[in-house]
Amino acid sequence: MSTVVLFEHPLNEKMRTWLRVEFLIDQLHASVPLTNTVSALTFFA
């Protein structure tokens, strides 16, 4: 079961940083394994 969490703006800088880190980790998991150049470029973009 998935729960949607709605954040009201503005969040403080520390929370925005943690949300960005979480987004990058999710992006990394979606891109692994990096089997070709296109998937690597998508990850680093």
Side-chain angles (χ1 to χ4, degrees), residues 5-19:
V5 177
L6 178 64
F7 293 99
E8 293 186 18
H9 193 70
L11 297 172
N12 64 22
E13 183 178 357
K14 185 176 181 179
M15 183 54 75
R16 287 193 307 268
T17 301
W18 282 113
L19 289 172

Side-chain angles (χ1 to χ4, degrees), residues 21-42:
V21 168
E22 180 184 27
F23 171 78
L24 292 173
I25 290 171
D26 289 343
Q27 189 177 16
L28 175 63
H29 286 144
S31 298
V32 172
L34 298 175
T35 56
N36 57 32
T37 305
V38 174
S39 61
L41 289 175
T42 300

